[in-house]
Amino acid sequence: MAYDVVIIGSGPGGYSAAIRAAQYGLKTALVEKDSKLGGTCLHVGCIPTKALLHSASLWQDLLHGTEQGILCDNPRLEFAKVVEHKNQVVSKHAKGIEFLMKKNKVDWIRGYGKLAGAGKVEVDGQGG
């Protein structure tokens, strides 16, 4: 297939570049090796960490709420639900990125992309 722009990697830089290129009217493809869009930041880095830190902050507030006049008898932590919440946050964002690709008519090519010379990208895997 021929594209004006092919972006390898669907992290924050990749998906925003793909959207912008498509908005400028360029035929755009986004190559991603993982099964979901979003890259490391969304799936194992920034976003999961922030979701877990938010839960930890709430837990700390419950444990030390008496200092501010907030009384919670017998607070308990259900870590499985904390992880489930984190997974839901990540999934929601990944689906949002996928929606933006469709809305902006960016083709999502599943596979491992690599540069293959001037003006060429090779994709190994599902969409290669």
Side-chain angles (χ1 to χ4, degrees):
M1 287 190 205
Y3 291 95
D4 297 317
V5 177
V6 176
I7 295 150
I8 300 173
S10 70
Y15 73 75
S16 50
I19 290 168
R20 193 51 140 168
Q23 288 172 340
Y24 281 125
L26 300 172
K27 184 167 173 56
T28 306
L30 181 62
V31 179
E32 176 55 54
K33 68 183 181 326
D34 293 328
S35 61
K36 294 182 181 177
L37 296 174
T40 298
C41 178
L42 175 58
H43 296 284
V44 294
C46 312
I47 303 304
T49 300
K50 287 178 182 180
L52 292 172
L53 285 172
H54 177 71
S55 294
S57 177
L58 290 173
W59 178 246
Q60 282 298 105
D61 288 345
L62 283 173
L63 292 180
H64 302 289
T66 55
E67 298 164 7
Q68 298 179 39
I70 300 170
L71 305 175
C72 294
D73 295 333
N74 279 337
R76 61 177 216 260
L77 179 67
E78 293 184 23
F79 191 70
K81 286 189 177 182
V82 171
V83 172
E84 180 182 333
H85 174 260
K86 182 260 309 174
N87 291 340
Q88 288 172 347
V89 168
V90 169
S91 180
K92 180 180 177 181
H93 286 296
K95 288 177 185 173
I97 295 169
E98 190 172 341
F99 168 78
L100 289 172
M101 295 305 108
K102 289 176 185 174
K103 176 184 173 196
N104 289 283
K105 298 181 178 126
V106 173
D107 290 341
W108 173 15
I109 300 173
R110 292 164 176 87
Y112 185 85
K114 60 184 175 182
L115 300 177
K120 295 183 182 194
V121 174
E122 184 179 304
V123 180
D124 295 327
Q126 291 179 339

